[in-house]
Amino acid sequence: MKTKAKVSSKTLQCIAVQTGAAKAFKPGNRVVARPEWDKDRCVRCGICYIYCPHGAVVRQDDGFFDVNTDRCSGCGICHRECWFGVIGMVEEA
Amino acid sequence: MDKYSLMVPNFIPSKEYFDPKHSVTCIGCGVSLAARLVGKALEKVLSGAACTRSSGADLFGVKTDAAFMRIKKGKAELIICFDDEPSNKLQDALVKKLPAVAVAEGIGYVATACPSYPFDLMEKVQRAMDAEGSAYIHILTPCPAAWKYPTEETVKVGFKAVETLAFPLYEIASGFYNLTNTTLKPRAIEEYIRAQGRFEKATAAQIKSAAATVEKEYKKLLEKVQPE
């Protein structure tokens, strides 16, 4: 059933209107772009790892980093915070 | 390279204790980032999603709309407030009442933190757990949806809040004030206000009075910080 609730932008912010409406989705389902690392220039400092809000950046065995597509929401914080400009955002098809 | 590289993740536990699936968080959410760091500092799964908030909740007798979390430690508890300024007023963005109220309530350890300074935040959470009695931590969490800025700017806006002295980082342990981040050359408050879309209509006069308020508040804080 559809409900038309009067919601002002002040109170809504980040609360879902209907409970349980988004249960079928993972944070990775609504993604516009995903990060991609340039391994030739990456120094493996881990700034991207520590600033990721959803913990989507995963450290691999060789020390480089990759993205967990289930968790990544495509915010671009890692791209913005990388000191060396190694991370690019690639648009999803 | 392995020998000399400074690997940031070596200093923090690699396990993720915060699962974004269980709580509704936006793209680039500051609350989510703060909750994740708190989980890593405590090294346990946080019960109760960070983003659940009840409007008009009562904290130390002050009504707030901010989300807060209570964690038991022995007989006392650790209260963490995730402040994303739901009121959207310029005055609330400049003056934080809750830490001062918490000190007046007689809470042993009070601190302010920002997820842009992750190690500072995690150290404070660990110190709060070690401190005797109750503790209170006030975390400023930028929110891209309500503050109206691009999602990738979350960390940068946090830096601006601290560097313009709008949100100085300090801790109060057993009555002693301690500045944990000293900004030698503070930026103009205009940078912080103009970075957010919600203050688009702020006039030059308002920004001037905002600068005066910030300077006054920071002087008050400096007076309380005892010299060594």
Side-chain angles (χ1 to χ4, degrees):
Chain A
M1 196 187 118
K2 278 184 184 177
T3 50
K4 266 195 177 178
K6 272 193 182 176
V7 187
S8 69
S9 60
K10 262 187 186 177
T11 52
L12 180 64
Q13 295 190 1
C14 65
I15 305 161
V17 179
Q18 262 182 320
T19 51
K23 250 183 192 171
F25 298 98
K26 286 172 186 169
N29 284 52
R30 55 188 175 189
V31 170
V32 184
R34 279 192 215 282
E36 213 174 74
W37 280 258
D38 180 358
K39 284 193 180 178
D40 294 340
R41 289 192 292 143
C42 180
V43 299
R44 297 174 276 178
C45 61
I47 289 283
C48 48
Y49 173 85
I50 200 161
Y51 278 134
C52 181
H54 293 168
V57 177
V58 188
R59 195 178 148 196
Q60 292 168 328
D61 294 335
D62 57 354
F64 288 107
F65 294 87
D66 206 358
V67 62
N68 179 350
T69 46
D70 276 356
R71 279 172 172 250
C72 178
S73 64
C75 59
I77 288 178
C78 49
H79 159 73
R80 185 78 172 82
E81 291 306 316
C82 184
W83 288 4
F84 306 96
V86 167
I87 305 170
M89 299 300 285
V90 179
E91 278 187 32
E92 290 275 293
Chain B
M1 193 71 189
D2 264 347
K3 212 172 177 183
Y4 304 107
S5 68
L6 181 72
M7 196 89 83
V8 176
N10 282 349
F11 300 106
I12 57 174
S14 59
K15 203 187 162 197
E16 296 292 343
Y17 298 93
F18 175 74
D19 193 350
K21 237 188 341 184
H22 295 314
S23 51
V24 185
T25 53
C26 309
I27 299 164
C29 182
V31 178
S32 164
L33 176 55
R36 173 176 170 249
L37 292 170
V38 169
K40 281 200 186 256
L42 296 172
E43 293 195 48
K44 68 177 182 189
V45 177
L46 302 165
S47 57
C51 247
T52 53
R53 71 181 78 213
S54 52
S55 59
D58 197 48
L59 190 64
F60 310 127
V62 180
K63 280 194 175 174
T64 68
D65 288 345
F68 59 90
M69 187 188 271
R70 290 168 189 273
I71 297 156
K72 275 188 184 173
K73 53 159 197 165
K75 285 177 187 173
E77 62 179 359
L78 162 64
I79 304 165
I80 298 175
C81 175
F82 296 97
D83 183 8
D84 56 358
E85 291 160 10
S87 63
N88 283 339
K89 282 176 195 155
L90 186 55
Q91 193 60 27
D92 287 4
L94 304 173
V95 185
K96 299 289 173 204
K97 285 177 192 164
L98 278 167
V101 175
V103 173
E105 286 280 318
I107 283 174
Y109 185 88
V110 179
T112 60
C114 182
S116 301
Y117 298 78
F119 291 107
D120 179 72
L121 190 150
M122 287 164 71
E123 254 175 44
K124 276 168 180 167
V125 171
Q126 280 159 1
R127 250 177 260 162
M129 288 306 274
D130 293 340
E132 274 181 40
S134 296
Y136 174 73
I137 298 177
H138 193 98
I139 303 181
L140 181 81
T141 53
C143 169
W147 296 17
K148 292 171 191 164
Y149 60 84
T151 52
E152 71 261 27
E153 298 280 322
T154 299
V155 176
K156 293 284 181 221
V157 169
F159 278 131
K160 274 177 189 166
V162 175
E163 282 170 11
T164 57
L165 306 180
F167 188 78
L169 299 181
Y170 57 92
E171 61 176 359
I172 305 150
S174 55
F176 286 95
Y177 282 68
N178 182 20
L179 280 178
T180 50
N181 184 70
T182 46
T183 314
L184 292 176
K185 281 185 185 173
R187 294 196 205 178
I189 189 70
E190 195 174 355
E191 276 183 53
Y192 176 51
I193 293 171
R194 287 294 177 221
Q196 305 169 40
R198 59 176 175 163
F199 298 136
E200 216 172 19
K201 288 173 187 169
T203 56
Q206 274 176 323
I207 288 170
K208 221 176 188 184
S209 72
T213 322
V214 166
E215 205 175 311
K216 202 174 121 197
E217 289 291 316
Y218 193 66
K219 252 186 193 172
K220 259 192 215 170
L221 181 65
L222 279 186
E223 276 170 19
K224 288 174 187 167
V225 180
Q226 279 99 344
E228 282 174 14

